[in-house]
Amino acid sequence: MKKTSTRLADGRELIYYDLRDDTVRDAVDRRPLERTHTTSEIRRDPLLGDQVAIASHRQGRTYHPPADQCPLCPTEGDRLSEIPDSSYDVVVFENRFPSLAGDSGRCEVVCFTSDHDASFASLTEEQARLVLDAWTDRTSELSHLPSVEQVFCFENRGEEIGVTLGHPHGQIYAYPFTTPRTALMLRSLATHKEATGGENLFDAVLARELADERVVLEGEHWVAFVPYAAHWPYEVHLYPKRRVPDLLGLDEAARSEFPQVYLELLRRFDRIFGEGEPPTPYIAAWHQAPFGTLEEFDGVTRDDFALHLELFTIRRTSGKLKFLAGSESGMSVFINDVPPERAAERLREVAS
């Protein structure tokens, strides 16, 4: 992998990740852009104890542009985009309309390929490995920023999810705090560790799932399963079998096997609802240990956390979506219409 860092016309950082070491990236952003000004602010809810990002400048962000005006495609002739070069393998750049900025963290866009009509599932294993390497590099770099406590790499796919740009891409949020969902996991870790005399809860969960009927696919270094208490109609958790706190902890064997396992998982997701259905909308979310201190979680260290990816769709059956209505949105109590065992069975049925 070759990494080349440059700047866009408004000062934002852009990084090329290339498969070939001899690739030259010297194209200049020719757009007449002014410096980006954001209004991102973090406010804490005193009752729930969580944080909310207030970012009014995002109202003006790009919304469903025509394919020939996609800002994530390479620059071509007089059609200027966020990527100055005429081609690329993987690109990461600072979001022009970030939810988090400055002392409130940082937001980046990850373009998986220059092919506008592709998807992550259509990437080659070599391309998917390059994306993994880019995620890992960004996790390392962002963790050293003084305002960053947790790094979250994710992909939103499909208009049903709320995606406004059709080009295959994901995002990275670098939060200045430990996110509420991660905090819940850390508290459960601490409680279980104390109650069992030191047993790791992630290890216990993984051992249980490996022995149960909800395993979807398994490699030498990775396992994917539908969790016992899945929140979503089709939800899969992907774990490395050797517990590590973040992407940086993966060894070469796990990195080499990841593209094969993950691409197969995504391709199965696209076959859940049968032939002729539009691509399955999904969210793919990496859960990594925070980089800040964990003093409030008694007895828990970063090494107790288990890196994993959670993949789920909001489509519950053909032509129907799972909406977060009163119980889910009002009380955070999910009601799942698809038994996890049946979801796992279906995902095994659609193996290629």
Side-chain angles (χ1 to χ4, degrees), residues 58 61-65 154-167 169 171 173 280-283 312-314 321-323:
R58 285 176 52 79
R61 65 187 184 275
T62 308
Y63 187 81
H64 293 300
F154 65 100
E155 180 191 1
N156 297 330
R157 193 270 190 101
E159 290 187 22
E160 300 94 326
I161 297 294
V163 173
T164 57
L165 296 175
H167 196 103
H169 73 288
Q171 299 182 64
Y173 276 23
T280 301
Y282 65 74
I283 292 175
F312 62 89
T313 180
I314 62 171
L321 301 180
K322 163 66 177 177
F323 292 101

Side-chain angles (χ1 to χ4, degrees), residues 13-73:
E13 185 177 20
L14 180 143
I15 306 161
Y16 294 97
Y17 293 90
D18 287 296
L19 292 168
R20 292 175 56 96
D21 290 336
D22 60 352
T23 303
V24 176
R25 298 296 185 187
D26 55 7
V28 175
D29 184 2
R30 295 180 280 127
R31 295 173 298 171
L33 299 180
E34 297 181 356
R35 288 275 174 173
T36 301
H37 298 285
T38 63
T39 57
S40 180
E41 175 189 359
I42 302 296
R43 296 185 182 181
R44 183 179 182 276
D45 185 317
L47 294 179
L48 297 179
D50 57 10
Q51 292 84 3
V52 177
I54 309 297
S56 60
H57 63 276
R58 285 176 52 79
Q59 288 280 31
R61 65 187 184 275
T62 308
Y63 187 81
H64 293 300
D68 62 356
Q69 297 177 30
C70 175
L72 306 185
C73 286

Side-chain angles (χ1 to χ4, degrees), residues 226-245:
V226 177
Y228 171 75
H231 291 58
W232 299 92
Y234 291 92
E235 174 182 343
V236 177
H237 293 190
L238 177 63
Y239 276 70
K241 291 184 178 179
R242 183 179 68 87
R243 172 164 45 90
V244 295

